[in-house]
Amino acid sequence: MINRQEAISIFETYLREHNYTRFDLKAVLFDMDGVLYDSMPAHAKSWKQTMDEIGINNSPEEFYLHEGRTGESTINILFQRELGRKASKEEIEKIYARKTELFTRYNEGKTIPGAKEVLELVKRKGLTPVLVTGSGQPSLIDKLNDNFPGIFSPDTMVTAFDVKNGKPHPEPFLMGLEKAGNLKPNQAIVIENAPLGTEAATKAGIFTIDVNTGPLPDEMLKKSGARIVLHSMKELEEKLTDFLEIARCVKIE
């Protein structure tokens, strides 16, 4: 359990490492799968079945490690490893269509407990919530406004359809900063749950808080760059006001 003094030290360390004197928070950038939606078990199940059907060796755990990549990137990693080549455009389209079909079947559309409350808190604090996801699943993206009304708009969303380079490349989060109002990294924080997303946010220079809602160890998230690791969105809701206050107050002379 992180206390206030430890949190202050963590925020100050970020400022020193990035040569900032202070935060100037304007936005909070949110991942989607595992942060807003309890969808990763369905992703892993549908990826595994799709790859099993075409004879590509895989394990269900590895898809948690690939979380945040574009579908094309995930497919190519497995093809390179198992077949020694990239997948063709036609193969990628067919495989991803099948994965999408299975995901739509398996995913129950459940939101993560506490996610709605965190988003609403961010809005109340006068900050802009921005979605930054590697997903291209319409079954989730198209329901964001139903599940989280008034939070996101097309202008404040980055999805797999928007970027050339998915996570762990920093492009998605750099685009998130741009969509939030051409912000600098010290003007936002990121809420993530996966190693690749955390790595992408860290490469973009943004302070990152991880909510570990999956099966991976905390240490893996910390090694990817998470400054703080929590274990539920409800815990984040309890601590976020304090974190935002700390970010507004800490300064490096």
Side-chain angles (χ1 to χ4, degrees), residues 10 39 86 98 173 178 182 211 224:
I10 291 167
S39 48
K86 287 187 175 182
R98 176 57 173 161
F173 285 107
E178 183 180 336
N182 294 313
V211 181
S224 297

Side-chain angles (χ1 to χ4, degrees), residues 27-29 123 128-132 141 144-145 150-159 162 172-183:
V28 181
L29 280 51
K123 291 276 282 189
T128 301
V130 178
L131 185 79
V132 182
I141 295 169
L144 279 165
N145 199 51
I151 300 295
F152 302 110
S153 71
D155 291 337
T156 57
M157 292 168 54
V158 179
T159 73
D162 299 308
F173 285 107
L174 293 174
M175 187 175 291
L177 291 175
E178 183 180 336
K179 289 201 170 193
N182 294 313
L183 302 183

Side-chain angles (χ1 to χ4, degrees), residues 58-83:
N58 70 93
S59 68
E61 294 80 15
E62 72 178 290
F63 297 110
Y64 285 91
L65 296 174
H66 290 312
E67 181 183 352
R69 294 189 192 277
T70 62
E72 178 178 350
S73 178
T74 298
I75 293 165
N76 276 327
I77 285 174
L78 271 72
F79 265 58
Q80 287 279 20
R81 186 185 72 205
E82 300 300 322
L83 302 178

Side-chain angles (χ1 to χ4, degrees), residues 219-249:
E219 193 59 33
M220 189 173 290
L221 300 175
K222 292 176 182 177
K223 286 182 178 179
S224 297
R227 300 278 172 170
I228 296 170
V229 178
L230 305 176
H231 297 98
S232 71
M233 289 295 279
K234 286 186 175 292
E235 185 182 5
L236 177 61
E237 181 192 2
E238 293 170 1
K239 295 182 178 297
L240 186 56
T241 295
D242 199 29
F243 289 159
L244 295 177
E245 182 62 25
I246 291 169
R248 288 191 173 102
C249 292

Side-chain angles (χ1 to χ4, degrees), residues 3-34:
N3 62 41
R4 182 177 175 84
Q5 194 54 49
E6 289 171 334
I8 290 171
S9 177
I10 291 167
F11 277 86
E12 288 177 341
T13 297
Y14 166 87
L15 292 175
R16 290 191 182 96
E17 288 178 356
H18 291 272
N19 296 313
Y20 292 121
T21 59
R22 58 189 287 270
F23 286 88
D24 179 25
L25 290 184
K26 305 291 185 184
V28 181
L29 280 51
F30 290 88
D31 181 38
M32 184 174 71
D33 294 294

Side-chain angles (χ1 to χ4, degrees), residues 46-205:
S46 56
W47 270 122
K48 176 164 179 54
Q49 182 173 334
T50 300
M51 291 301 171
D52 286 346
E53 288 174 355
I54 61 173
I56 298 292
N57 185 48
N58 70 93
S59 68
E61 294 80 15
E62 72 178 290
F63 297 110
Y64 285 91
L65 296 174
H66 290 312
E67 181 183 352
R69 294 189 192 277
T70 62
E72 178 178 350
S73 178
T74 298
I75 293 165
N76 276 327
I77 285 174
L78 271 72
F79 265 58
Q80 287 279 20
R81 186 185 72 205
E82 300 300 322
L83 302 178
R85 65 173 178 87
K86 287 187 175 182
S88 67
K89 181 180 178 180
E90 291 74 19
E91 286 172 323
I92 290 169
E93 289 176 353
K94 183 177 180 180
I95 292 167
Y96 196 69
R98 176 57 173 161
K99 186 264 175 177
T100 299
E101 176 189 0
L102 292 172
F103 177 78
T104 302
R105 180 190 306 172
Y106 295 140
N107 185 50
E108 297 177 355
K110 293 180 180 178
T111 59
I112 295 282
K116 186 172 184 288
E117 291 79 6
V118 168
L119 291 169
E120 290 173 346
L121 175 59
V122 167
K123 291 276 282 189
R124 287 199 304 274
K125 294 294 183 180
L127 302 173
T128 301
V130 178
L131 185 79
V132 182
T133 177
S135 176
Q137 296 293 338
S139 61
L140 288 184
I141 295 169
D142 292 347
K143 291 182 179 178
L144 279 165
N145 199 51
D146 293 333
N147 295 126
F148 309 107
I151 300 295
F152 302 110
S153 71
D155 291 337
T156 57
M157 292 168 54
V158 179
T159 73
F161 302 112
D162 299 308
V163 297
K164 292 182 180 178
N165 303 291
K167 303 170 185 178
H169 195 281
E171 182 186 354
F173 285 107
L174 293 174
M175 187 175 291
L177 291 175
E178 183 180 336
K179 289 201 170 193
N182 294 313
L183 302 183
K184 296 178 181 178
N186 68 321
Q187 293 182 296
I189 61 173
V190 166
I191 309 300
E192 259 287 352
N193 74 304
L196 295 185
T198 305
E199 183 180 342
T202 300
K203 287 177 179 176

